[in-house]
Amino acid sequence: MDRRQFLKSGGFLTVSAATLGLSGCFGSGGGGDSPRSYTFPQGVASGDPQPDSLVLWTRLGDASADTAVTLELSTSAGFASVLHSVTVTAQAQWDYTVRHKVTALQPGTVYYYRFRAGSSVSQVGRSKTAPAAGTPLSQLKFAFVSCQDWSVNHWAAFDELLQQDLDFVVHLGDYIYETVGAAFQTGKVESRHSQITLPNGTKRSDGASYATTLADYRTLYKTYRSDSRLQALHAAFPVIAVWDDHEFSDDAWQDRQTYSTGDDASKATSRRRDANQAWFEYMPADVSFDAANPSFQNIRIYRAFSFGNLATLVMTDQRLFRADHVIPEVGAGSEVGSRYFVPKSTLAAVESQKMTAAGGSLDPVSILGSTQRQWWKDRMSAANTTWKLWGNEVSLLRMQVNGTQAVAGMMVQSLIAANAGLAALQSQLTTALVSDLTTAAAAVPSASKATQAPAPAYTQTKAVLALAGVSGTVFDAGIKPQLDAALPPAQFFDTFLLNADQWDGYNAERKALLQHLKDNAIGNVVALTGDIHAFFAGSVMDDFDAASPVPVMVDLVTAGISSNSFYSYFESVVDGNAAFAKTKPLIYTEQGGVRTNTFNSTLTTFNPWLKVANTDAQGYAIVTLTPAKLSCSFHTLKPLAAGAAPALPATRSITRLEVAAGSPTVTVLA
């Protein structure tokens, strides 16, 4: 093809080849320079760095009709010479956004770009192409981030990230939050972020509104990108982004929303398509989008990148193709028992039933869907780089709690607090109580387990206490009432998965992916994960339920940039739900009005593969990659103070960890 010709790909992504001195025109409308001025209210952005291409983005403000916009590219920040100039059109039908892919670039090279419209010039953006495939690299440095709710906490993280020398930024989703005015978004945000009003929106019963139309979703992106700090981040580094759920709807699957029980029985195809289009318009991503396709699956965002001989990065889409939650909300009666706090054995049984009914297929219990799952396997098998990184939206790490052991542990701690002499019998008491509670909970009728506490005979417990000289009379009069008062409903005496919206809820597919890595001896695989508003790090096992699980890969999970923490959700549950009230010590203890987080230790107690668990944090992660190791630092941010973000440095603490090449384990550094 003639290098002076222009190409047009899916949607409105335009493409041109960078040839010195080339100047051309692409698109309709505009017809040359205009003396009027324009603004670029959302700044500029770049994304999806390949060895020979970049996607460059801006949005034209104050336009009332299709308008010509000229993109200029240079290797000089001052534009001493213009390497490439091309005129495109900011079109009304795409909300006056411009997405242009420049090809024929040099690998591993820093480029500067800007846009002109009429008499106006945008700010200058900086970007960098990926190194050529196979090029020996000594180091790669990048950040990975997620969950930046405009309406919660602060965005000082972006100012800090600007101080880093990064090759790129990975964004794992929840770039916007579709809901505004929710209780958790009220009164807890920096004053520079005003309340968002949606032009349409749908009111929920709790008074919050959620984005419903294309105008709503566009309003969210325009508002989020009006923040100068986020603009500066996009202008400084290329961003490789995928979505999670909030770019469409909380805990979404395909074109289904899940705000209430039974909500996802009805399709929300138009809403899903509008969410797809707005993301496509505002993200500098080299992805295909077909507006003429009437399906909600009219976009493909999963894609892969390589960086010399050092790293392959595979970005997946874990919402558009996923099956319904294995236990639907209708079957459980609410999100508790379906998406959250799900009995592990029940989920495993239902998952097995669904697979059997489908002839062994994973499709009814899949996050990725069959086509993307095979693509993931193929990309992992074909990767010839030292490291294989997976941009993975929801955590692969098992997060479970054995309710019987947890309650027994709380009860024993209470006994020891009242009688320090029992400390020597702690292990025996715990074992005895687990036995007594298991027997008693099994005796409660299924229909009553949610409300009725078990009535243990404490046979084993009495026998252990007798070793310390505690008589049956003393037990019945003083100790039994104390133990009985601590008993939650019988439903808690089971092993639970805390979050079945992540990979714990799709265990069969997780095992299949891990088996593929094992069978093909694919090592040095590290997932980069967001979603859960907490820092976690640990090994992903071939089978978390095996007697001796084997580590296969590593999952590194970053906290949200600003979103409320994982801990705060569970804190609100034990504070606000009477059925969970007696489990408070598993989440926090309180003395003198000061609460101490016990949730971290609860999780590490029942999930030994978790080497880092910081459930009450906002922050971001920085990765430095070399042939010998992956070094990661989790940056926990200081809190909002009097409506203002903290002055720099905004980081309160840093957790540093390493993954050595050849070992799917995490080492936490002192």
Side-chain angles (χ1 to χ4, degrees), residues 357-604:
S361 171
L362 286 169
D363 288 354
V365 293
S366 171
I367 281 184
L368 299 179
S370 57
T371 301
Q372 185 180 193
R373 182 170 57 252
Q374 188 59 52
W375 174 87
W376 183 93
K377 290 180 178 180
D378 292 344
R379 297 301 304 196
M380 286 293 175
S381 294
N384 56 4
T385 54
T386 301
W387 295 93
K388 297 87 185 171
L389 307 175
W390 177 8
N392 162 64
E393 290 96 301
V394 294
S395 182
L396 290 146
L397 296 167
R398 170 63 60 84
M399 298 180 195
Q400 65 188 9
V401 172
N402 184 312
T404 308
Q405 292 182 5
V407 172
M410 289 190 300
M411 295 168 78
V412 169
Q413 288 298 324
S414 179
L415 286 176
I416 293 173
N419 185 344
L422 296 177
L425 296 173
Q426 180 174 345
S427 178
Q428 292 167 272
L429 276 173
T430 302
T431 301
L433 264 173
V434 166
S435 177
D436 288 336
L437 294 174
T438 300
T439 300
V444 177
S446 297
S448 302
K449 286 186 181 294
T451 56
Q452 181 179 330
Y458 297 114
T459 304
Q460 302 296 324
T461 305
K462 286 181 180 180
V464 173
L465 288 172
L467 300 175
V470 178
S471 68
T473 301
V474 171
F475 178 87
D476 291 338
I479 297 179
K480 184 177 185 301
Q482 176 186 346
L483 295 178
D484 286 345
L487 291 172
Q491 67 174 357
F492 289 94
F493 297 93
D494 203 338
T495 297
F496 297 92
L497 302 173
L498 295 185
N499 184 358
D501 187 63
Q502 60 186 25
W503 279 100
D504 269 347
Y506 299 81
N507 190 46
E509 185 176 41
R510 175 173 56 189
K511 288 198 295 184
L513 298 179
L514 273 291
Q515 193 62 48
H516 175 78
L517 298 179
K518 285 184 65 178
D519 289 347
N520 293 278
I522 301 171
N524 297 335
V525 181
V526 177
L528 313 170
T529 303
D531 175 68
I532 201 170
H533 307 175
F535 288 116
F536 292 104
S539 298
V540 185
M541 304 298 183
D542 59 344
D543 182 356
F544 283 104
D545 300 311
S548 300
V550 177
V552 176
M553 60 173 288
V554 163
D555 191 13
L556 305 177
V557 184
T558 183
I561 288 290
S562 65
S563 301
N564 284 328
S565 70
F566 191 44
Y567 164 83
S568 69
Y569 170 77
F570 281 87
E571 182 185 42
S572 67
V573 169
V574 298
D575 283 347
N577 188 326
F580 287 83
K582 292 181 179 178
T583 63
K584 283 182 183 179
L586 299 178
I587 308 301
Y588 69 83
T589 57
E590 190 167 15
Q591 186 172 7
V594 177
R595 292 187 174 184
T596 300
N597 181 332
T598 57
F599 193 26
N600 295 342
S601 59
T602 295
L603 287 175
T604 54

Side-chain angles (χ1 to χ4, degrees), residues 209-228:
S209 296
Y210 60 83
T212 310
T213 65
L214 180 57
D216 290 337
Y217 285 108
R218 283 172 169 172
T219 295
L220 291 169
Y221 284 103
K222 281 186 281 194
T223 303
Y224 276 53
R225 288 269 268 279
S226 70
D227 186 289
S228 60

